[in-house]
Amino acid sequence: MCLFCKIVNKEIPSNIIAENDDFLAFHDINPKAPVHILAIPKLHVDSFNEVSSETMAAMTKFIQEVAKETGIDHTGYRVITNIGENGGQEVKHLHFHILGGAKLKWGHFSDADPKDFL
Ligand code: AMP
């Protein structure tokens, strides 16, 4: 069973923000912003590559609710999902990073040039 399935099953503790029958949101253990929440479907999906449009539609609503509950909906936030090796996905269970609570930098992209990767 994968790490996030164990979190869903409460076999591994997490700091839960919101939960319903289909989705779970909890604090990232290694936050990259004052607010850094992970939103996941409870049913295992490897990544964004495999997710159905129905799950994404419901996921969108869930993420919007989490943003509202944490008060970052008005100040702004960023939603990221990493996919596969080049995307930097470490946990192979679909998750959306919800980042906010401060003006975010553009991270990797701030000074990136496609030529740097050649
Ligand atoms: P990614 O690189 O997109 O796969 O992101 C995985 C995220 O999961 C990272 O931001 C980790 O800090 C986070 N993470 C790993 N283990 C845990 C855990 N037990 N509880 C909460 N977040 C975790």
Side-chain angles (χ1 to χ4, degrees):
M1 193 186 287
C2 89
L3 177 68
F4 286 175
C5 283
K6 286 181 181 165
I7 285 180
V8 169
N9 287 343
K10 314 274 163 62
E11 289 171 38
I12 292 179
S14 67
N15 197 342
I16 294 174
I17 304 273
E19 179 170 17
N20 64 24
D21 287 346
D22 300 319
F23 303 104
L24 185 69
F26 52 96
H27 286 286
D28 194 293
I29 206 167
N30 183 21
K32 303 292 187 202
V35 176
H36 187 171
I37 296 163
L38 299 175
I40 67 171
K42 287 187 171 178
L43 261 178
H44 184 93
V45 178
D46 282 346
S47 81
F48 185 77
N49 268 342
E50 292 81 17
V51 73
S52 70
S53 46
E54 291 77 17
T55 299
M56 273 311 299
M59 185 98 229
T60 298
K61 186 164 179 277
F62 183 69
I63 290 170
Q64 289 167 343
E65 287 165 4
V66 169
K68 199 170 182 183
E69 275 170 37
T70 45
I72 58 172
D73 56 332
H74 290 301
T75 47
Y77 57 102
R78 190 172 293 163
V79 178
I80 297 173
T81 188
N82 296 323
I83 303 149
E85 191 179 342
N86 282 357
Q89 183 181 7
E90 285 175 9
V91 179
K92 308 297 188 263
H93 180 132
L94 174 65
H95 53 281
F96 290 85
H97 298 261
I98 304 169
L99 298 140
K103 179 90 176 162
L104 301 172
K105 295 177 189 167
W106 195 219
H108 152 81
F109 299 103
S110 59
D111 55 0
D113 184 317
K115 291 193 288 295
D116 296 341
F117 301 100
L118 297 176

